[in-house]
Each structure stands twice: as C-alpha cells, then as structure tokens.
Amino acid sequence: MAEELHIASLVVHAAPARAQRAEAAISAMPGACVHAATANGKLVVTLEASTAEGMTAQVAAIQHLDGVLSAALVYQCADSLDVMNEEMPA
C-alpha cells in the first residue's frame, strides 16, 4: 500500500481568555500549524497526517483542548505521497 498524506484546514474558535493557551497546544502538535489568530479567539489551522485515523485523532484532540469552543473542518485532501509530490505542468 502506498504511503498517504492527509492535509486539512480548520477554523478553531477558542474562548478569548484561553486562546493563547489553545494556540500553543495546537502549535506543539506534530503536523499542526497555526497560520493566524485573532484577539477574539479564532485560529486558522492546518494539519498533516499519514492516515485518516491520524487526522481524525488530531481534530478530536483539538476539539477537546481546554478553552476550545469549536473546530470546524474547512478543507480536507488525501492522496498518495507519489501523487502529492508530482510536479504540476505550468
């Protein structure tokens, strides 16, 4: 079976008083990156995982972080590493 890459983006809403703590916890997760954060607790996050189960576990972990009110999946893509690494013609 070919190795896979799963990529997802989320909008996470945290309680403003706990948003920095949630941002730090998400940033510390393997394969996670916080791209933007607002003062009212909204975070733009991308995740990478090698399996669908791994991706589901990461999203669930974010949803259960202290102070996180919601984590909404915006985009999800999965394909083999070979296909993901193919060069696209101009």
Side-chain angles (χ1 to χ4, degrees), residues 70-81:
S70 67
L73 183 66
V74 175
Y75 176 80
Q76 195 268 336
C77 174
D79 216 328
S80 71
L81 278 177

Side-chain angles (χ1 to χ4, degrees), residues 10-14 22 26 41-45 62 65 68-72:
L10 305 133
V11 174
V12 177
H13 188 195
I26 293 167
K42 295 210 171 110
L43 310 170
V44 176
V45 176
I62 290 171
L65 287 173
V68 170
L69 305 172
S70 67

